[in-house]
Amino acid sequence: MQAEACGGVAHIVAPFGRDAASMASVLATAGLSTRVASTLVELSRVLDDQAGVLLITEEAVASGTEPLLAALGDQPTWSDLPVILLRSPRAHRRSPFDSLLPRTVNVVELDRPLGSISLLSAVQGALRARAKQFVVRDQMRALAESRSALERSEAELRLIADAMPVLIAFVDRSMHYRFANKAYEAWFDLPVGEVIGRHIRDVVGARVWEERLPIMQQVLEGQEHVFEVSWPTREGQRRDCEVRYSPRRAVDGTVDGFHVFVTDITVARQALEASRQHAQELETVVAERTLELQAQMEAREASEAALRQSQKMEAIGQLTGGIAHDFNNMLTGILSALDIVRLRLEMGRVDDLERFLDTATASSQRAAALTQRLLAFSRRQSLDARPVEINALVGAMQQLLRSTLGETIQIRAEVSDTPLHAALDTNQFESALLNLAINARDAMPNGGELALRAFPLTLSDGERATVPAGDYAVVAVSDTGAGMPPEVVERAFEPFFTTKPIGKGTGLGMSMVYGFMQQSGGHIAIDSQPGQGTTISLFIPLVDAVAGPEPSADPAPVALGAGQSILVVEDDPQVRMLVTVVLEDLGYTVEVVGDADGALPVLASTRRLDLLVTDVGLPGMNGRQLAEIARQTRPELPVLFMTGYAEKAQERSAFLEPGMSMIAKPFPLEAFSDAVRSALADAVSDASA
């Protein structure tokens, strides 16, 4: 390292006397490295990259300089080894070195005798020059290593690019290829060497060039473009591709060209088209189903809507089968009871008919409850959302839960010290809590503890995977039961999925709660592990507290049977007949039509109308649209909506205007008559006000 730092080793060839030793001693006192050789042949053998300067006396070259010249001729390009020739004191004669060492050799001639200072100065000067050569050597080596590494990197990138089944290229601003991988050989039947350097027009063809030139110009302005194209292969088959043009920016930020990436997406496109074709064929088959399968079709459509929203509906067959099974049981109870009543009436027997009518009524009520659960799951039920305080609702549920769950279940309730205000349908919320509590009871057949907690919670983005960020009132129902494995948790919200024995549950309770929460703008989550119980949390969005409604005055009594005129619009003939009968029996004057088109002439006439009773889900123009038209000419006309499938009336507060009310199908005739009386009474009260 010392010799390298000072320019290398000083090699000395002075065969006579103590000349070599004397020169070596002078240089050593200055800290220089020296090496003595007896002849030029020996010197030529030991020369290496560490040699800094050669000190040669006239006597050393007496036998010829061929070995030295051969060694100097083998120097690398960076090397020009300095030579100091020490001549004997012979005045006025031509130097013997002129013919022995050509002028191409880096030689300095000095006359002897030579003082120590002069010798040391000459050697140090030569070593400094040699040190500069070493710097050039090191730079050349580093450059060679960098070039080698770059070549290796480029080779590796070329191998990777050539191995990929994607067209990869770089096109400069003059639209000439500067790089292309081997995929061009397979796609365009052109060797890579013929692609590189060619204009892009000559590779892709004039038509494609003209089509894509505007895009390429935008890319050269810095915009990235991705698009899909199709063209035939050499075999005449279609090839679908995704093309990406990405601008490349130079060090100064300017765009010096763009990269081309072309991916073959033929297989994916064909799979998508096959899937669409299959879907179309499936829709055709479904459309050709018989009327007997209409109920199953409606259930399937509801399930598919839930599948798109929840991504958890994998059991369409289970859904439709469960509906058919439960409805068949209920219809059996209704039809059989009515057949017995009809048979006994034909026989003239009227005793004990009430028992069979009660059976038909109970089966009908079970069917109505099942329908409500299905509507809740599909988020198609009509909700009467009102401002509520969650703590109060949870506290009020305790007595109902104690009487429902029995003495073996210990109930513990914890509510928040902070008021929790939300907008909910109170009845549906209480039904949801009751369903969760019953499920918890069934998970604890030998008794246990049910914890009911209400508390505020603020979630940030990503804190819970299934619940967005926001401020929530959380109602958590926890049990100490057996818990659920992950595969059961995954399917817990599927309709008709149940782990209970046949006949012990419909499998609609959890799906009803799920649908209610989704329709209310909330979310639901399950935390459960086998042997550690289950916690089901309802995340309900918090709202600002609002003042409670002013207590309304008792409506003025309305005399019944005074001939008030009511227009009934109902497309179902059985419902139309029953509604007409009950209204006429109550003493109203009734005009009945089957759709909105039949109602429009009546509404446009000058005849008196005291109430419009209309189904929401009419064919063609729906009931809500009909009411809007009626209000244009009869702004004070009260409207009572009947709804069974309330897709257009899911949120009552947004659906109803002043003077409008709603009753959900199926309804008892007593409830319907009360709704009619209330609608007429409200109209009279508003008129008197």
Side-chain angles (χ1 to χ4, degrees), residues 422-442:
L424 286 176
D425 185 311
T426 302
N427 292 332
Q428 294 296 334
F429 176 72
E430 292 175 347
S431 177
L433 282 188
L434 185 60
N435 271 287
L436 297 179
I438 291 174
N439 283 346
R441 177 200 65 189
D442 295 342

Side-chain angles (χ1 to χ4, degrees), residues 56-58 85-90 93-98 109-113:
I56 304 174
T57 63
E58 179 180 343
L85 299 178
L86 303 177
R87 298 185 302 183
S88 298
R90 298 173 184 174
R93 73 175 180 84
R94 184 175 178 83
S95 171
F97 304 113
D98 292 344
E109 298 182 12
L110 299 178
D111 292 330
R112 294 184 293 177

Side-chain angles (χ1 to χ4, degrees), residues 12-24 36-40 55-63 86-90 112:
I12 303 172
V13 184
F16 288 173
R18 291 186 50 80
D19 290 346
S22 298
M23 288 187 285
V36 178
S38 58
T39 65
L40 293 181
L55 277 76
I56 304 174
T57 63
E58 179 180 343
E59 295 81 5
V61 299
S63 59
L86 303 177
R87 298 185 302 183
S88 298
R90 298 173 184 174
R112 294 184 293 177

Side-chain angles (χ1 to χ4, degrees), residues 258-310:
F258 59 92
H259 292 285
V260 179
F261 303 95
V262 184
T263 305
D264 191 332
I265 59 172
T266 306
V267 175
R269 181 72 65 82
Q270 290 175 346
L272 179 61
E273 292 176 355
S275 177
R276 290 175 176 171
Q277 179 64 27
H278 178 71
Q280 292 176 356
E281 293 174 356
L282 182 60
E283 290 177 359
T284 301
V285 172
V286 171
E288 295 174 354
R289 289 276 187 108
T290 59
L291 294 177
E292 290 79 8
L293 296 176
Q294 186 61 39
Q296 295 181 1
M297 283 293 298
E298 293 175 357
R300 177 181 179 179
E301 291 171 1
S303 299
E304 289 176 347
L307 172 62
R308 290 189 295 270
Q309 298 176 30
S310 68

Side-chain angles (χ1 to χ4, degrees), residues 66-121:
E66 288 80 3
L68 176 61
L69 293 177
L72 294 176
D74 291 338
Q75 294 182 92
T77 57
W78 60 267
S79 178
D80 189 13
L81 183 60
V83 179
I84 299 177
L85 299 178
L86 303 177
R87 298 185 302 183
S88 298
R90 298 173 184 174
H92 307 294
R93 73 175 180 84
R94 184 175 178 83
S95 171
F97 304 113
D98 292 344
S99 59
L100 296 177
L101 293 177
R103 293 301 177 184
T104 56
V105 175
N106 183 9
V107 60
V108 176
E109 298 182 12
L110 299 178
D111 292 330
R112 294 184 293 177
L114 189 67
S116 299
I117 295 177
S118 298
L119 175 64
L120 182 60
S121 176

